[in-house]
Amino acid sequence: QQGQQGQPQGGRGQYGMGPMSGMGGMMGMGGGMGGGSRRVRMRGLPFNATVQDVLQYFDGFQVSQDGVTISSTGEALVTFDFPDEASRALQTRQRQYMGRRYIELFAE
């Protein structure tokens, strides 16, 4: 059964997988922003990475003041001002390089 815009009724996505069908692709890339999270975990940082390096990686994004915490294990937790910023960061900065290392991003 088709709705007014030619879309299936009943909340199903284009492939008939239900209302969460749009999340599958992002989750496979380490994304998926369930609940509107503002936090992103970074994995694969160079061990000498600084807060300034992380801020430069997310240049053009609205990172919260004091929103970067770096661990000694090559990971960082970054808090953005808005959930949309975190989602955009996951989509556009996934597997980009910091130095010679590519960075994996995950919704927190």
Side-chain angles (χ1 to χ4, degrees):
Q1 188 176 21
Q2 299 290 316
Q4 289 181 345
Q5 299 294 319
Q7 296 294 322
Q9 290 183 346
R12 293 185 175 267
Q14 141 180 3
Y15 298 104
M17 294 169 41
M20 296 298 287
S21 63
M23 297 291 284
M26 283 184 66
M27 291 182 133
M29 292 283 291
M33 294 300 297
S37 176
R38 295 174 29 213
R39 298 188 319 178
V40 170
R41 182 169 50 98
M42 303 175 75
R43 181 168 69 187
L45 292 173
F47 287 104
N48 62 348
T50 65
V51 169
Q52 188 60 38
D53 293 330
V54 172
L55 292 173
Q56 186 174 5
Y57 186 84
F58 290 114
D59 186 40
F61 292 87
Q62 296 176 16
V63 175
S64 298
Q65 185 174 354
D66 299 323
V68 177
T69 304
I70 299 177
S71 74
S72 60
T73 61
E75 294 190 359
L77 187 62
V78 182
T79 303
F80 294 85
D81 286 342
F82 305 100
D84 288 348
E85 283 290 284
S87 180
R88 186 169 67 93
L90 281 167
Q91 292 172 16
T92 62
R93 299 300 294 163
Q94 182 68 261
R95 298 196 180 211
Q96 299 294 310
Y97 281 80
M98 180 183 289
R100 293 182 179 206
R101 300 191 55 127
Y102 75 88
I103 306 300
E104 294 177 285
L105 303 176
F106 302 89
E108 279 291 309

